[in-house]
């Protein structure tokens, strides 16, 4: 059911700008992944190339919705690049945890969130999301992290890790030379599975409730994170997608995907927020890999 919610025009204008950016980034990322799908060598990926399936959706509470872009292809076994925007109210339980929502639980938000699960065990899984949220206070959040599937690629000194971290640092440094170190450490702490005492992947950056006091600076930083992802991940895919793999590599990949499922269902804030805030269940849970194994 839609509602009429009144918010300051400045906040609505900022949300509109963020929403427009996230939606344009979604289109560019989808186009690039489709190009990679076309480029994949047929000897390793003999199936026909696929295209994204765009599915608009509308919120059942508050005002808003988004577009889910779903993919199941030969190079990318499963991918989802989703945008959303909302004007709504937090539940009393959630309002207690959100800055500025204790007196008025009304909020606006806009976001992009993506997950890519390649078919090849040689190509790392990747996750990225950025978002804008405003109650009586406003902030940005998000980041990007890389998860190689094979143990030989899971070192911080491996080629893919160094390339990915260099891109994230290049996004941070023009705004504040301390942000990369701060947000890298936060990513390492956040994407960790305490029940297994191991990291999910090789990290990247993670930031939340980011508000320097300068909206334009923070919005530009969030755009830079999106641009960095769009530049670096296709480079990694092109470098790895022609490498052959073995049945043992595939088995190792499916076990490592199990760790991904464990994190997303047990610890991921975005999953919990989306489900509690009335988001689209199909897009929220599309982060789950299509095939996974927990060996006995």
């Amino acid at each position: 059911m839609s509602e009429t919610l009144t918010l300051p025009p400045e906040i609505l204008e900022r949300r509109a700008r963020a929403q427009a950016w996230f939606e344009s980034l979604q289109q560019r990322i989808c186009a690039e992944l489709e190009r990679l799908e076309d480029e994949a060598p047929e000897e390793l990926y003999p199936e026909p190339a696929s295209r994204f399936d765009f599915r608009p959706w509308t919120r059942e509470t508050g005002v808003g919705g988004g577009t889910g872009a779903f993919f199941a292809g030969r190079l990318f076994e499963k991918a989802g690049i989703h945008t959303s925007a909302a004007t709504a109210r937090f539940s009393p339980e959630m309002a207690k945890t959100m800055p500025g929502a204790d007196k008025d639980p009304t909020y606006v938000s806009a976001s992009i969130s993506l997950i890519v699960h390649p078919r090849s065990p040689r190509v790392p899984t990747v996750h990225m999301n950025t978002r804008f949220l405003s109650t009586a206070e406003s902030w940005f959040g998000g980041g990007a992290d890389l998860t190689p599937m094979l143990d030989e690629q899971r070192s911080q000194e491996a080629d893919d890790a160094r390339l990915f971290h260099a891109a994230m640092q290049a996004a941070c440094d023009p705004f504040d030379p301390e942000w990369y170190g701060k947000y890298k450490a936060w990513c390492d702490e956040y994407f960790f599975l305490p029940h297994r005492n191991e990291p999910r992947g090789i990290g990247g950056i993670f930031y939340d409730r980011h508000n320097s006091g300068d909206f334009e600076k923070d919005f530009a930083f969030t755009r830079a994170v999106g641009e960095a992802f769009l530049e670096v991940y296709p480079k990694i895919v092109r470098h790895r997608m022609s490498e052959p793999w073995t049945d043992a590599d595939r088995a190792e990949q499916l076990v490592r995907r199990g760790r991904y499922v464990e994190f997303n269902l047990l610890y991921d804030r975005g999953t919990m927020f989306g489900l509690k805030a009335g988001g689209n269940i199909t897009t929220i849970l599309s982060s789950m890999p299509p095939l996974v194994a927990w060996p006995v």
Side-chain angles (χ1 to χ4, degrees):
M1 180 184 300
S2 64
E3 304 175 60
T4 301
L5 301 174
T6 303
L7 292 138
E10 180 185 34
I11 296 302
L12 294 176
E13 187 268 339
R14 288 179 174 181
R15 194 275 302 276
R17 290 175 59 194
Q19 179 181 353
W21 161 253
F22 296 141
E23 290 174 352
S24 68
L25 183 62
Q26 178 193 44
Q27 293 296 321
R28 293 167 61 201
I29 292 172
C30 288
E32 183 61 21
L33 294 187
E34 289 181 349
R35 279 191 286 270
L36 289 164
E37 175 85 349
D38 290 339
E39 294 172 16
E42 292 186 4
E43 61 270 20
L44 292 176
Y45 311 93
E47 299 84 0
S50 295
R51 290 294 179 266
F52 274 93
D53 175 17
F54 292 88
R55 305 176 197 170
W57 61 276
T58 303
R59 290 179 60 90
E60 294 183 0
T61 59
V63 179
T67 300
F70 300 88
F71 192 91
R74 56 181 190 152
L75 173 59
F76 301 114
E77 195 167 13
K78 183 179 180 183
I81 296 91
H82 311 309
T83 59
S84 68
T87 303
R89 291 189 177 96
F90 287 122
S91 67
E93 177 187 7
M94 291 189 70
K96 294 176 183 178
T97 69
M98 294 293 169
D102 52 342
K103 294 184 175 61
D104 184 354
T106 304
Y107 73 92
V108 297
S109 65
S111 68
I112 181 172
S113 181
L114 69 83
I115 178 68
V116 180
H117 291 292
R119 186 176 304 277
S120 167
R122 309 292 302 177
V123 183
T125 285
V126 76
H127 161 258
M128 190 274 287
N129 80 87
T130 52
R131 58 194 174 275
F132 171 73
L133 195 147
S134 182
T135 57
E137 302 177 28
S138 300
W139 65 89
F140 286 91
D145 65 287
L146 196 71
T147 303
M149 294 289 108
L150 303 181
D151 284 343
E152 66 186 76
Q153 299 175 348
R154 292 176 58 77
S155 164
Q156 293 279 339
E157 300 305 315
D159 290 346
D160 296 343
R162 289 190 291 104
L163 189 65
F164 193 79
H165 278 284
M168 294 301 110
Q169 183 170 4
C172 294
D173 283 353
F175 300 94
D176 190 317
E178 295 185 357
W179 285 359
Y180 170 69
K182 175 183 177 181
Y183 293 150
K184 177 185 182 299
W186 198 351
C187 185
D188 291 340
E189 177 184 359
Y190 178 67
F191 289 107
F192 190 83
L193 291 89
H195 65 285
R196 293 190 179 273
N197 194 33
E198 65 182 42
R200 186 172 84 172
I202 56 83
I205 61 171
F206 175 83
Y207 60 102
D208 198 10
R209 299 181 183 177
H210 174 95
N211 181 0
S212 70
D214 183 339
F215 171 82
E216 295 300 338
K217 177 181 179 180
D218 296 342
F219 186 26
F221 167 58
T222 291
R223 296 197 304 271
V225 173
E227 295 285 4
F229 168 82
L230 184 55
E231 178 180 359
V232 70
Y233 187 62
K235 287 183 180 178
I236 292 172
V237 174
R238 287 187 171 93
H239 175 65
R240 294 290 185 185
M241 68 181 182
S242 296
E243 298 178 351
W245 64 88
T246 65
D247 290 344
D249 292 336
R250 178 66 167 171
E252 185 177 344
Q253 177 195 43
L254 297 186
V255 171
R256 180 55 54 184
R257 283 178 172 178
R259 307 291 205 266
Y260 214 90
V261 171
E262 291 171 14
F263 180 87
N264 280 25
L265 294 182
L266 293 174
Y267 308 113
D268 188 77
R269 295 181 187 176
T271 301
M272 298 304 119
F273 177 88
L275 293 175
K276 290 180 179 180
N280 183 290
I281 294 175
T282 302
T283 59
I284 294 167
L285 296 182
S286 70
S287 63
M288 298 299 105
L291 295 172
V292 63
W294 282 273
V296 178

